[in-house]
Amino acid sequence: MNRLDRLLAGVLWLLGVLFVAAAVHILAVFYLPRYEGKDPFSRLSAFAKTSELTVLPRATPQAEWAPFSDPALAQGACLYDLSRNPMRLSGEVDADRMLTLSFRTPTGEIFYSMTERAAQRGKIDVLVLTAEQLESLEASDEEDEAPQELRLVAPTTKGIVLINALAAFPSERLEAEQRVKAMSCTPEASPE
C-alpha cells in the first residue's frame, strides 16, 4: 500500500465513524425521550390526581417539577382523561390580574391557550371533550340556544391543563396562588 491508498483508507474510515456518530446522536435525540417515560403527564401524575386541580410546588433552583420553571409563577395543573367523561374547567377571574391557561397533550404540546381576557362576565368556563362527545352534546342541544361555555375538542383522550398566575413580587405569591385555586376542573356528566 502506498501513501495515497493509506490516506484514502483513513479518510473513508473517518467518514464512516462520523456518519455512525451522527446517526447515533440523531436517534438518541429523537427517540430517548419517548423511552424514558418522563413526559409532562408522567411527571405530573406523581403528585397530581386526574380531574382535580393541584397547585404545583414553587420552583426553586434545587426543586423544579419541569426544566426552566419560573419561580415568579404560581402554577396549577389539572390532568384529565376523557375516555369516560368530558372535563369542565371553570372559575372566576379578575380581568386586571394575569392568568394564563394552556391545554396540552400528554407530551406537553399546546393545542389551545387563553388568558384571563377571554373571561365573559368575570368567568371562564371551558368544556374539554372528544369529537364523539361533542357530537353527542350538540345532538342534545336546543337549537335556539347558543352554548354558554367554550367547547374545546382535545386531540388526545388524556392531557393537561396548566394554569399560571404571575406574582410580580414575592409578597404577591399567596394572592397568585389564590387565583390559581379559584379555578376548578371536574368531570362532566356524559352527554346522552
Side-chain angles (χ1 to χ4, degrees), residues 1 14 18 60 62 64-65 71 92 95 115 134 141 155 166 173:
M1 263 170 83
L14 184 60
L18 288 175
T60 62
Q62 297 80 21
E64 295 179 322
W65 73 269
E92 295 194 20
T115 68
L134 177 63
D141 279 347
L166 178 66
R173 178 73 186 183

Side-chain angles (χ1 to χ4, degrees), residues 15 22 27 49 51-52 54-55 59 61 71 79 81 102-103 110 117 121 134-135 152 171 182 189:
L15 286 175
L27 289 173
K49 294 182 182 176
S51 298
E52 241 179 66
T54 303
V55 176
L79 305 179
D81 184 356
S102 60
F103 298 81
I110 298 173
R117 298 199 182 247
R121 296 183 198 100
L134 177 63
E135 286 178 16
L152 186 60
S171 61

Side-chain angles (χ1 to χ4, degrees), residues 73-138:
L73 290 178
Q75 294 184 303
C78 180
L79 305 179
Y80 62 83
D81 184 356
L82 304 175
S83 58
R84 293 190 189 133
N85 297 326
M87 190 267 307
R88 181 173 298 276
L89 178 78
S90 60
E92 295 194 20
V93 297
D94 182 1
D96 297 330
R97 308 298 270 160
M98 191 205 84
L99 186 77
T100 64
L101 297 100
S102 60
F103 298 81
R104 301 169 181 246
T105 64
T107 58
E109 296 172 44
I110 298 173
F111 64 90
Y112 192 80
S113 64
M114 61 192 305
T115 68
E116 77 284 349
R117 298 199 182 247
Q120 295 184 359
R121 296 183 198 100
K123 293 183 181 179
I124 288 181
D125 191 13
V126 181
L127 188 62
V128 183
L129 29 69
T130 63
E132 295 81 21
Q133 292 166 341
L134 177 63
E135 286 178 16
S136 178
L137 184 62
E138 286 177 342

Side-chain angles (χ1 to χ4, degrees), residues 29-79:
V29 166
F30 287 112
Y31 290 106
L32 279 180
R34 294 182 187 182
Y35 293 111
E36 187 181 336
K38 292 292 185 187
D39 63 347
F41 194 87
S42 300
R43 273 185 285 200
L44 287 169
S45 294
F47 51 89
K49 294 182 182 176
T50 302
S51 298
E52 241 179 66
L53 178 71
T54 303
V55 176
L56 300 176
R58 184 177 186 174
T60 62
Q62 297 80 21
E64 295 179 322
W65 73 269
F68 308 110
S69 294
D70 188 349
L73 290 178
Q75 294 184 303
C78 180
L79 305 179

